[in-house]
Short mmCIF file of all heavy atoms in Angstrom, two decimals:
data_model
loop_
_atom_site.label_atom_id
_atom_site.label_comp_id
_atom_site.label_asym_id
_atom_site.label_seq_id
_atom_site.Cartn_x
_atom_site.Cartn_y
_atom_site.Cartn_z
N LEU A 134 -16.54 2.51 8.32
CA LEU A 134 -15.58 2.99 7.32
C LEU A 134 -16.03 2.75 5.86
O LEU A 134 -15.17 2.50 5.02
CB LEU A 134 -14.18 2.37 7.57
CG LEU A 134 -13.56 2.68 8.98
CD1 LEU A 134 -12.20 1.96 8.93
CD2 LEU A 134 -13.34 4.22 9.00
N ARG A 135 -17.38 2.80 5.69
CA ARG A 135 -17.89 2.36 4.38
C ARG A 135 -17.43 3.27 3.32
O ARG A 135 -17.20 2.84 2.17
CB ARG A 135 -19.42 2.22 4.46
CG ARG A 135 -20.08 3.62 4.60
CD ARG A 135 -21.58 3.35 4.85
NE ARG A 135 -22.38 4.62 4.96
CZ ARG A 135 -22.50 5.22 6.27
NH1 ARG A 135 -21.85 4.67 7.23
NH2 ARG A 135 -23.14 6.39 6.30
N HIS A 136 -17.24 4.52 3.53
CA HIS A 136 -16.77 5.42 2.47
C HIS A 136 -15.26 5.20 2.17
O HIS A 136 -14.89 5.11 1.06
CB HIS A 136 -17.04 6.87 2.90
CG HIS A 136 -18.50 7.23 2.94
ND1 HIS A 136 -19.36 6.97 1.89
CD2 HIS A 136 -19.31 7.87 3.98
CE1 HIS A 136 -20.55 7.32 2.22
NE2 HIS A 136 -20.50 7.80 3.44
N PRO A 137 -14.37 5.18 3.16
CA PRO A 137 -12.93 4.89 2.88
C PRO A 137 -12.84 3.54 2.22
O PRO A 137 -11.97 3.32 1.27
CB PRO A 137 -12.30 4.90 4.26
CG PRO A 137 -13.13 5.75 5.09
CD PRO A 137 -14.54 5.55 4.57
N PHE A 138 -13.59 2.55 2.63
CA PHE A 138 -13.51 1.19 1.98
C PHE A 138 -13.95 1.26 0.59
O PHE A 138 -13.45 0.55 -0.35
CB PHE A 138 -14.27 0.17 2.79
CG PHE A 138 -13.50 -0.32 4.10
CD1 PHE A 138 -14.06 -1.15 4.98
CD2 PHE A 138 -12.30 0.08 4.31
CE1 PHE A 138 -13.47 -1.58 6.10
CE2 PHE A 138 -11.64 -0.32 5.51
CZ PHE A 138 -12.21 -1.12 6.39
N ALA A 139 -15.06 2.00 0.30
CA ALA A 139 -15.45 2.14 -1.11
C ALA A 139 -14.46 2.78 -1.89
O ALA A 139 -14.19 2.36 -3.08
CB ALA A 139 -16.79 2.90 -1.07
N ASP A 140 -13.71 3.76 -1.32
CA ASP A 140 -12.60 4.34 -2.11
C ASP A 140 -11.55 3.31 -2.42
O ASP A 140 -10.95 3.32 -3.49
CB ASP A 140 -12.08 5.50 -1.17
CG ASP A 140 -10.87 6.29 -1.85
OD1 ASP A 140 -10.98 6.37 -3.15
OD2 ASP A 140 -10.10 6.85 -1.14
N LEU A 141 -11.12 2.44 -1.37
CA LEU A 141 -10.09 1.48 -1.63
C LEU A 141 -10.60 0.45 -2.70
O LEU A 141 -9.82 0.04 -3.53
CB LEU A 141 -9.81 0.73 -0.35
CG LEU A 141 -8.92 1.48 0.66
CD1 LEU A 141 -8.72 0.69 1.94
CD2 LEU A 141 -7.60 1.96 0.17
N LEU A 142 -11.86 -0.05 -2.74
CA LEU A 142 -12.35 -0.78 -3.71
C LEU A 142 -12.21 -0.15 -5.07
O LEU A 142 -11.85 -0.83 -6.14
CB LEU A 142 -13.75 -1.26 -3.40
CG LEU A 142 -13.93 -2.30 -2.28
CD1 LEU A 142 -15.46 -2.38 -2.01
CD2 LEU A 142 -13.41 -3.64 -2.68
N ALA A 143 -12.54 1.09 -5.20
CA ALA A 143 -12.44 1.86 -6.50
C ALA A 143 -10.91 1.86 -6.81
O ALA A 143 -10.66 1.76 -8.06
CB ALA A 143 -12.99 3.18 -6.31
N MET A 144 -10.03 2.10 -5.86
CA MET A 144 -8.61 2.07 -6.23
C MET A 144 -8.14 0.79 -6.77
O MET A 144 -7.46 0.68 -7.74
CB MET A 144 -7.84 2.34 -4.89
CG MET A 144 -6.30 2.33 -5.11
SD MET A 144 -5.30 2.26 -3.62
CE MET A 144 -5.70 0.51 -3.14
N GLU A 145 -8.59 -0.35 -6.12
CA GLU A 145 -8.23 -1.68 -6.61
C GLU A 145 -8.78 -1.90 -7.99
O GLU A 145 -8.10 -2.44 -8.85
CB GLU A 145 -8.81 -2.80 -5.63
CG GLU A 145 -8.13 -2.73 -4.36
CD GLU A 145 -8.62 -4.00 -3.42
OE1 GLU A 145 -9.58 -4.65 -3.93
OE2 GLU A 145 -8.12 -4.14 -2.34
N GLU A 146 -10.01 -1.44 -8.27
CA GLU A 146 -10.63 -1.63 -9.63
C GLU A 146 -9.70 -0.83 -10.68
O GLU A 146 -9.50 -1.27 -11.75
CB GLU A 146 -11.94 -1.22 -9.68
CG GLU A 146 -12.76 -1.44 -11.00
CD GLU A 146 -12.68 -2.83 -11.37
OE1 GLU A 146 -12.62 -3.73 -10.59
OE2 GLU A 146 -12.71 -3.04 -12.74
N ARG A 147 -9.31 0.37 -10.28
CA ARG A 147 -8.51 1.18 -11.23
C ARG A 147 -7.15 0.45 -11.46
O ARG A 147 -6.73 0.53 -12.72
CB ARG A 147 -8.26 2.56 -10.60
CG ARG A 147 -7.41 3.42 -11.49
CD ARG A 147 -8.03 3.82 -12.78
NE ARG A 147 -7.26 4.61 -13.65
CZ ARG A 147 -6.35 4.14 -14.44
NH1 ARG A 147 -6.09 2.78 -14.48
NH2 ARG A 147 -5.58 4.95 -15.17
N LEU A 148 -6.61 -0.16 -10.55
CA LEU A 148 -5.39 -1.01 -10.77
C LEU A 148 -5.61 -2.09 -11.67
O LEU A 148 -4.87 -2.38 -12.58
CB LEU A 148 -4.80 -1.46 -9.50
CG LEU A 148 -4.17 -0.37 -8.50
CD1 LEU A 148 -4.02 -0.90 -7.11
CD2 LEU A 148 -2.68 -0.03 -9.17
N ARG A 149 -6.71 -2.79 -11.42
CA ARG A 149 -7.03 -4.01 -12.25
C ARG A 149 -7.21 -3.71 -13.71
O ARG A 149 -7.04 -4.43 -14.62
CB ARG A 149 -8.22 -4.69 -11.69
CG ARG A 149 -8.04 -5.48 -10.47
CD ARG A 149 -9.31 -6.23 -10.09
NE ARG A 149 -9.08 -7.10 -8.82
CZ ARG A 149 -9.49 -6.69 -7.64
NH1 ARG A 149 -10.09 -5.52 -7.44
NH2 ARG A 149 -9.29 -7.43 -6.61
N GLN A 150 -7.68 -2.43 -13.98
CA GLN A 150 -7.86 -1.98 -15.32
C GLN A 150 -6.55 -1.66 -16.08
O GLN A 150 -6.55 -1.45 -17.30
CB GLN A 150 -8.80 -0.85 -15.38
CG GLN A 150 -10.25 -1.11 -14.96
CD GLN A 150 -11.02 0.11 -14.72
OE1 GLN A 150 -10.64 1.27 -15.06
NE2 GLN A 150 -12.40 -0.12 -14.39
#
Side-chain angles (χ1 to χ4, degrees):
L134 298 180
R135 64 187 182 278
H136 293 309
F138 283 175
D140 184 27
L141 287 178
L142 283 171
M144 177 196 77
E145 291 186 358
E146 182 58 30
R147 180 63 182 83
L148 286 162
R149 288 189 176 94
Q150 293 171 359

